[in-house]
Amino acid sequence: MKAFDTSLFKRILEYSKPYQWRFNSVVVWAVSLSIFAALRPYLLKETVDGYINTKDASGLLFYISLMGFVLLLEVVSQFYFVYWANWLGQDIVRDIRTKLFQHIVRFKMTYFDHSPVGQLVTRSVSDMEAIARIFSQGLFMIISDVLKMIVVMAFMLYMNWKLSMIVILAMPLLVYATRIFQIKMKGAFEEVRTQVANLNTFVQERVTGMKIVQLFSREKIEYEKFKVINDKHNKAWIKTVWYNSIFFPIADIISSFTLGLIVWYGGLAMIGGDSQTTIGDLFTYTMLISMLFNPLRQIADKFNELQMGMIAANRVFAILDTSKEIQKEGTLPTPRFKGEILIDNLHFGYTENEKVLKGISLQINAGQTIAIVGATGAGKSTIINLLNRFYDIDEGSILIDGENINSFELTSLRKQIAVVLQDVFLFADTIYNNITLYNPAITKEQVIDAAQKIGVHDFIMSLPNGYDYNVKERGVMLSSGQRQLIAFLRAYMSEPSILILDEATSSIDTYSEELIQKATERITQGRTSIIIAHRLATVINANQIIVMDAGMIVEQGTHFELVQKENGYYKNLYDSQFVTVL
C-alpha cells in the first residue's frame, strides 16, 4: 500500500490556487517560525559560554533580552501561521463542499436509489472537516516541522560537528520507524472512514424510520445490529490507537538514548580537555535534540491528519468524478407550455433486466385532465418520473408541444411541471417558506391570496403563528392531510403549465379530502393535469382515464365508457371500491 498518493495530493492543492497569496504567506510564516525557534537555543549557548562562564552581568542581561525578543517574534510567527493555515483550510473546504453539493443536486435519481443517505452526509460534513485538517493540522505543520529540523540540524553542525554526528547516526532509525508507522496508519484510517460512513448510514436510517422500528417492536433487533456496527467502528479506531501506542514509545526511546549518548560523549570530551565541546553545547544540545526529534514524531502525527484528509478527499473526489449519473442538460429554454404531451413507444426499467414500462404510447391534449389508474407496480409513477427527467428513457420518447423533453433546459422544464406527491416532504421551516421555497419573487400577500382561492387559508390561520408556523423536520407537526394541503398550495404558487397529482389523496381524512377536492378543481383549471390514483372517486370527472397493468396500457376512455365494458379491468376495480356505496 502506498503511504502517500502524490497525484491525489496535487489535486487537493489545485483548490488552493485562488488563495495563492495566503498560501505563500503561510509558508513564509512557517520559515520564520522555524528560524526563531532554532535561534533561541543557540542564543542560550552563547549566553552560557560567553557571559555566565565569564560572569559578565551586562552581557548576560543583553542576551536574555535578545532571547525574549526572539521569543516574541516566535509567538507572533506562530499566531499568524496557525491562524492563516486554518483560515486557508476552511476556505478551501467551503469551495469543495459547494462544488460537491452542486454536483450532488444534479445527479439522476438512479444515483440516490443506490447511495445511502448517511454516506452522502458523511462525505459532505465529516469528510470535509478532515480535508480542512490537511491544511490546518497536516501540510503546513509538516512544512513547519521539516523546516525546523533543517534549521536545527544546521545550527548543530555549526556548533559542534562531533556531537551532531551522534544525532545524524540515530536519525535513520527514527525515520524508518516513522515510515512504517505512516504506511500502517494509512490502512487503518481507510478502515476508520469506512466504518464512520457505515455508522452514519445506519443511525440516519433508523432515526428517520423510528416509527417503523417501534411499531414493529424491532428495538432489540436494531440495537443488536447497532452493537455490531459500533463494535466494528470501535475496532477500527483501536487499531490506530495500537499503532500510536507502539510508535511513540519507540520514538521516545530513540530520542532519550541519543540524548544520553550526547551527554556521555560530550562529558568525556570536556573531561579529556576537548576545547571544542563546552557546557553551552550540552545545554543547547539538550534543547536541540528535543526540537529535532519531537518534530519528527509530530510529523508522523501530522501525517496521520494528512492521511485522514487525503482518504476523505479521495472519497469526496469519487463523487465529484461520477459523471455518468449527471443529468444531461438540454439547450432550449422552455416557453410557456400549452401542455400537449405525446408519449411514444416508451420503454423503461430501473434495473437493466426488469422493464417497468413496455411500449407505452399516449396522447394528452393541452388543458386536459387525465387520470392514470392501476395496481401498485403498474408503472403509473414511473411515467411521471420520466416526464420530469429524473431518469433517462431506455427507448421511445416524450414530447411536450411537439418538442422532445431532452431538448429543454432541465431547470426551465421542471419549473413548468408541478408535482404533488403522496408522501409530502416539508422542510424544518415555516409554512410560508415551505410554500415559496425561498423564491424572492413570491410575496406573502400573493401566498395568502392563493391560499384563499384554493380554500386552505382558514386551515393555515388556525395554526399558531399562521404562515410563520414552524412545521419541524419533515413536517411532523402537521397531519398527512395538512401536509398535502401545503403541497397543493406550493404547486399552485409555482404557476405550472402541467400539474401532476401522484396519489395525493390516498391517505387523508374526509375533511382534508374535501378541501383537497376543492383545491384540485381550482388548480387544474386551464392547465394540463395528470392525476394518479388508487381511489377512483378522485378520477371520475377526468377527460380520459388510462388504465395500466404490468407496464402496459390495457384500457383507455372516460369513466362512463370504461364502466360499460363487461369484465373490464376498470369496471372490476370500480365495482370493488364503489358499487356498494353508490
Side-chain angles (χ1 to χ4, degrees):
M1 180 183 295
K2 291 172 62 178
F4 191 80
D5 191 331
T6 305
S7 61
L8 176 61
F9 184 66
K10 288 180 179 179
R11 184 173 180 182
I12 296 169
L13 288 183
E14 286 291 319
Y15 287 90
S16 69
K17 285 186 176 180
Y19 312 101
Q20 195 64 48
W21 181 85
R22 201 186 311 164
F23 184 98
N24 295 336
S25 297
V26 175
V27 174
V28 170
W29 286 116
V31 172
S32 301
L33 179 60
S34 63
I35 293 174
F36 294 136
L39 185 59
R40 283 191 298 110
Y42 178 75
L43 292 177
L44 176 63
K45 165 187 165 55
E46 293 298 312
T47 302
V48 171
D49 291 340
Y51 301 99
I52 294 179
N53 283 344
T54 60
K55 300 179 182 180
D56 184 347
S58 60
L60 175 64
L61 178 61
F62 172 76
Y63 263 79
I64 291 298
S65 300
L66 184 59
M67 290 172 64
F69 178 68
V70 170
L71 178 61
L72 177 62
L73 293 177
E74 183 182 351
V75 169
V76 171
S77 300
Q78 179 82 13
F79 169 78
Y80 281 106
F81 169 71
V82 172
Y83 178 74
W84 283 20
N86 280 271
W87 181 18
L88 177 64
Q90 289 301 320
D91 279 354
I92 289 173
V93 163
R94 177 197 61 198
D95 295 345
I96 298 176
R97 185 185 284 119
T98 300
K99 184 176 181 179
L100 177 67
F101 185 79
Q102 184 183 39
H103 198 70
I104 288 174
V105 298
R106 294 171 57 214
F107 279 144
K108 304 171 190 173
M109 286 297 117
T110 308
Y111 183 85
F112 299 103
D113 292 342
H114 299 94
S115 300
V117 174
Q119 286 190 8
L120 293 177
V121 172
T122 301
R123 303 293 177 266
S124 303
V125 182
S126 61
D127 278 350
M128 286 297 176
E129 292 307 315
I131 294 173
R133 289 195 293 273
I134 289 177
F135 297 93
S136 62
Q137 300 296 325
L139 172 63
F140 291 120
M141 289 296 182
I142 292 174
I143 291 175
S144 175
D145 287 341
V146 169
L147 288 173
K148 189 180 297 183
M149 291 169 61
I150 292 172
V151 174
V152 166
M153 182 57 68
F155 272 105
M156 281 183 169
L157 290 170
Y158 175 75
M159 289 186 296
N160 192 314
W161 69 269
K162 293 179 181 180
L163 295 181
S164 299
M165 289 304 298
I166 296 175
V167 178
I168 292 173
L169 291 174
M171 286 287 289
L173 291 175
L174 191 54
V175 170
Y176 178 74
T178 302
R179 178 68 174 174
I180 297 299
F181 178 66
Q182 291 169 354
I183 295 173
K184 294 294 184 181
M185 288 300 286
K186 184 176 188 294
F189 281 140
E190 285 177 343
E191 178 64 18
V192 166
R193 297 314 304 170
T194 298
Q195 295 306 326
V196 167
N198 291 340
L199 187 64
N200 285 346
T201 298
F202 184 89
V203 172
Q204 188 273 334
E205 287 183 345
R206 270 57 184 184
V207 171
T208 302
M210 187 56 67
K211 184 179 291 186
I212 299 299
V213 172
Q214 295 183 355
L215 279 173
F216 289 89
S217 301
R218 289 186 57 86
E219 292 93 337
K220 185 176 181 180
I221 296 172
E222 298 300 334
Y223 169 71
E224 294 298 330
K225 291 169 70 175
F226 176 80
K227 283 175 61 178
V228 173
I229 294 175
N230 194 37
D231 187 55
K232 290 181 179 178
H233 177 266
N234 175 260
K235 288 179 179 178
W237 274 110
I238 290 298
K239 187 180 289 186
T240 68
V241 174
W242 168 252
Y243 290 141
N244 277 290
S245 301
I246 294 175
F247 172 74
F248 287 107
I250 290 175
D252 282 338
I253 290 172
I254 295 174
S255 177
S256 299
F257 185 72
T258 304
L259 179 59
L261 285 176
I262 290 288
V263 174
W264 175 76
Y265 180 82
L268 287 180
M270 291 178 62
I271 292 172
D274 184 359
S275 60
Q276 290 185 348
T277 304
T278 66
I279 292 292
D281 286 338
L282 295 183
F283 266 102
T284 304
Y285 268 76
T286 301
M287 294 180 63
L288 290 178
I289 288 175
S290 176
M291 294 177 65
L292 184 66
F293 280 29
N294 281 345
L296 188 55
R297 286 180 49 188
Q298 291 172 5
I299 285 176
D301 193 35
K302 302 310 177 187
F303 198 86
N304 292 344
E305 296 288 350
L306 185 62
Q307 293 283 42
M308 284 283 280
M310 290 182 64
I311 291 168
N314 193 41
R315 296 176 183 275
V316 170
F317 291 152
I319 298 177
L320 290 173
D321 292 339
T322 303
S323 58
K324 67 179 182 179
E325 297 293 347
I326 292 293
Q327 296 176 353
K328 297 176 182 177
E329 287 278 0
T331 57
L332 295 178
T334 58
R336 179 71 181 177
F337 286 146
K338 296 176 183 177
E340 181 179 309
I341 302 173
L342 176 63
I343 299 173
D344 182 34
N345 193 32
L346 194 61
H347 292 259
F348 176 77
Y350 293 102
T351 57
E352 188 173 350
N353 298 320
E354 295 183 17
K355 292 296 181 182
V356 177
L357 299 180
K358 305 168 185 176
I360 297 293
S361 294
L362 178 63
Q363 172 77 44
I364 305 173
N365 297 326
Q368 271 192 331
T369 296
I370 74 155
I372 304 177
V373 300
T376 300
K380 305 183 299 296
S381 296
T382 300
I383 295 176
I384 306 310
N385 288 335
L386 296 179
L387 183 61
N388 280 281
R389 290 186 57 196
F390 289 141
Y391 300 87
D392 287 335
I393 297 169
D394 293 340
E395 184 181 341
S397 62
I398 300 178
L399 280 66
I400 299 180
D401 294 347
E403 193 70 49
N404 193 303
I405 60 172
N406 292 331
S407 301
F408 294 119
E409 291 177 350
L410 193 57
T411 302
S412 61
L413 170 69
R414 290 177 178 166
K415 281 183 178 179
Q416 298 214 43
I417 303 175
V419 183
V420 179
L421 300 171
Q422 175 184 357
D423 183 19
V424 176
F425 188 94
L426 297 181
F427 296 95
D429 210 326
T430 65
I431 287 179
Y432 172 71
N433 288 334
N434 269 288
I435 293 169
T436 64
L437 298 178
Y438 288 92
N439 185 344
I442 302 176
T443 65
K444 198 166 190 177
E445 290 71 23
Q446 290 174 317
V447 173
I448 294 173
D449 180 63
Q452 290 171 337
K453 287 179 180 177
I454 67 173
V456 300
H457 175 72
D458 292 340
F459 140 66
I460 295 175
M461 292 307 297
S462 68
L463 299 170
N465 300 322
Y467 289 88
D468 294 321
Y469 180 63
N470 193 311
V471 300
K472 305 301 181 182
E473 187 175 358
R474 299 181 67 89
V476 296
M477 303 304 292
L478 302 177
S479 69
S480 59
Q482 290 172 330
R483 290 196 294 271
Q484 288 287 2
L485 292 170
I486 299 301
F488 268 77
L489 184 53
R490 180 161 64 190
Y492 183 63
M493 289 305 303
S494 68
E495 298 182 345
S497 301
I498 299 170
L499 175 68
I500 299 169
L501 306 180
D502 190 355
E503 301 286 3
T505 61
S506 62
S507 59
I508 57 177
D509 55 84
T510 303
Y511 174 72
S512 296
E513 184 174 6
E514 292 176 358
L515 289 177
I516 287 177
Q517 290 288 4
K518 293 178 181 178
T520 301
E521 293 174 6
R522 177 71 185 186
I523 66 177
T524 56
Q525 290 178 5
R527 55 174 57 92
T528 303
S529 303
I530 302 174
I531 301 174
I532 297 175
H534 277 110
R535 298 168 65 172
L536 302 187
T538 60
V539 305
I540 289 174
N541 296 323
N543 296 116
Q544 62 174 320
I545 298 172
I546 311 300
V547 185
M548 293 187 64
D549 184 41
M552 296 181 290
I553 296 176
V554 293
E555 292 178 355
Q556 184 173 344
T558 66
H559 167 73
F560 295 103
E561 290 171 348
L562 294 175
V563 294
Q564 301 302 318
K565 291 186 177 182
E566 196 66 31
N567 293 323
Y569 190 103
Y570 180 83
K571 185 180 188 307
N572 291 335
L573 187 63
Y574 174 77
D575 288 344
S576 66
Q577 289 189 22
F578 292 106
V579 72
T580 57
V581 178
L582 299 177

